[in-house]
């Protein structure tokens, strides 16, 4: 029986990785490390259960005024699915980061032996203190967050569908209230009025659950500054001028931005974030701080 065709997201990740490796050979090690993890996480996300049962009760008026969906409760418990996800993802992490392989192996063994409750690992994904023998704190924090990420993204996908027609004007995530770590400009049109956003509409991507939402183009998501003289763009040169950093001189924060408005085949946003590592480094050298860290910035 022939294998099933990859999903649109997996296909997009594969195309983006292949193109990025060809265009940015200096970053091949980065793509080789995180590419398999992105693909494995995409598969876990597609198989994840999503939000179970009725969505959380919320007041639409309160939501429109800035109360995110999970302000009164958290994500649903994904700990029952974490051991299976760990069996899939931890070997990928160990192969990608040989220096941390002993840590990931020790974490897998602790889960398999029942020495590490899955609930504790799920709590660690949200910053709860956790110690596992043989696992360093950096490796543990990274692994916990990356194991939980597909489940949070899948739940957020379901929750966003219930508020897609309500206005959200905040710079924090409408689902979980976390800060964005990436943004994109996309051409969008209003089907009712047949108008198109000039230069593309700006979308922010949540650093915790990967939810995306529209936000003002000329505004700092960190401090709200809208003064053009206080906002600057650090742009890649040459054929990759669709990659840029939106930075604020007032609060010294920055956010990577992928301008897809002129692209026929826009890269996957996670792969694009990997490719923009040199720009992020340049922004830091100029004194700016990332609004919310990307996963690999901690490694």
């Amino acid at each position: 029986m022939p294998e099933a065709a990859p999903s649109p997201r997996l296909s997009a990740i594969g195309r983006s990785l292949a193109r990025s490796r060809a265009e940015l050979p200096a970053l091949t090690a980065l793509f080789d490390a995180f590419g398999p993890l992105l693909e494995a996480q995409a598969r876990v996300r597609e198989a994840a259960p999503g939000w179970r049962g009725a969505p959380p009760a919320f007041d639409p008026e309160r939501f429109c005024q800035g109360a995110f969906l999970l302000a009164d409760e958290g994500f649903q418990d994904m700990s029952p699915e974490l051991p299976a996800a760990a069996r899939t993802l931890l070997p990928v992490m160990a192969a990608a980061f040989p220096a941390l392989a002993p840590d990931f192996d020790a974490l897998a063994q602790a889960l398999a032996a029942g020495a590490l409750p899955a609930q504790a690992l799920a709590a660690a994904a949200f910053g709860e203190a956790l110690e596992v023998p043989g696992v360093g704190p950096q490796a543990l924090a990274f692994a916990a967050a990356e194991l939980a990420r597909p489940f949070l993204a899948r739940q957020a996908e379901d929750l966003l569908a219930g508020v897609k027609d309500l206005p959200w004007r905040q710079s924090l995530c409408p689902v979980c209230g976390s800060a964005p770590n990436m943004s994109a400009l996309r051409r969008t049109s209003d089907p009712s009025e047949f108008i198109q956003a000039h230069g593309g509409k700006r979308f922010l991507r949540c650093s915790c659950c990967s939810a995306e939402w529209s936000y003002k183009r000329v505004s700092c998501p960190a401090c709200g500054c809208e003064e053009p003289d206080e906002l600057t763009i650090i742009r890649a040169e040459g054929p990759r001028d669709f990659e840029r950093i939106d930075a604020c001189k007032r609060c010294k924060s920055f956010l990577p931005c992928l301008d897809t408005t002129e692209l026929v085949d826009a890269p996957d946003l996670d792969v694009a974030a990997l490719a923009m590592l040199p720009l992020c480094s340049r922004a830091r050298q100029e004194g700016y701080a990332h609004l919310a860290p990307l996963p690999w910035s901690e490694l």
Side-chain angles (χ1 to χ4, degrees):
M1 176 180 261
E3 293 185 5
S7 67
R9 168 142 172 83
L10 273 170
S11 296
I13 292 174
R15 290 196 311 273
S16 300
L17 285 170
R19 188 164 59 240
S20 296
R21 286 188 181 100
E23 296 176 355
L24 299 167
L27 298 182
T28 296
L30 191 69
F31 299 130
D32 288 348
F34 278 93
L37 178 56
L38 292 177
E39 292 173 326
Q41 285 178 315
R43 293 188 182 93
V44 172
R45 174 175 173 173
E46 289 170 1
W51 188 269
R52 297 181 175 99
F58 77 102
D59 180 348
E61 183 176 352
R62 184 167 170 246
F63 173 81
C64 295
Q65 292 174 350
F68 55 92
L69 283 175
L70 298 180
D72 299 322
E73 61 181 285
F75 285 100
Q76 291 181 333
D77 182 20
M78 83 286 292
S79 60
E81 287 78 37
L82 279 186
R87 289 192 292 271
T88 297
L89 297 178
L90 286 177
V92 178
M93 295 182 197
F97 310 103
L100 297 177
D103 299 78
F104 298 140
D105 290 343
L107 183 60
Q109 292 170 13
L111 271 173
L116 171 60
Q119 294 88 343
L121 185 59
F126 295 96
E128 292 287 335
L130 178 63
E131 292 185 6
V132 179
V135 185
Q138 185 184 39
L140 181 55
F142 173 75
E146 295 311 302
L147 289 173
R149 194 178 304 280
F151 300 101
L152 303 184
R154 184 64 186 82
Q155 290 186 31
E157 182 181 344
D158 288 346
L159 294 175
L160 272 180
V163 295
K164 61 182 177 63
D165 296 324
L166 296 177
W168 178 261
R169 299 182 176 87
Q170 313 304 314
S171 62
L172 299 180
C173 176
V175 174
C176 69
S178 298
N181 64 2
M182 185 72 181
S183 62
L185 296 178
R186 300 190 180 107
R187 287 198 177 277
T188 60
S189 58
D190 185 329
S192 63
E193 300 181 14
F194 301 99
I195 60 173
Q196 185 141 0
H198 177 70
K201 196 171 185 179
R202 186 189 195 187
F203 292 85
L204 305 182
R205 199 266 306 269
C206 178
S207 58
C208 175
C209 68
S210 301
E212 294 187 17
W213 67 98
S214 61
Y215 187 66
K216 295 175 288 187
R217 274 194 62 144
V218 184
S219 178
C220 171
C223 70
C225 175
E226 297 184 359
E227 297 296 329
D229 291 343
E230 295 288 338
L231 303 175
T232 187
I233 294 175
I234 303 171
R235 192 183 296 274
E237 300 175 356
R240 303 190 69 84
D241 60 357
F242 54 86
E243 298 173 343
R244 64 187 241 188
I245 296 291
D246 293 332
C248 178
K249 299 176 183 177
R250 180 176 294 177
C251 70
K252 304 301 290 185
S253 68
F254 78 84
L255 195 64
C257 179
L258 179 71
D259 186 351
T260 72
T261 54
E262 302 298 329
L263 298 180
V264 175
D265 184 17
D268 174 81
L269 203 56
D270 285 311
V271 178
L274 283 172
M276 293 173 69
L277 178 63
L279 267 184
C280 292
S281 297
R282 180 176 157 193
R284 292 190 183 94
Q285 290 168 2
E286 294 186 17
Y288 297 99
H290 203 155
L291 180 55
L294 293 162
W296 49 88
S297 63
E298 301 300 317
L299 293 178

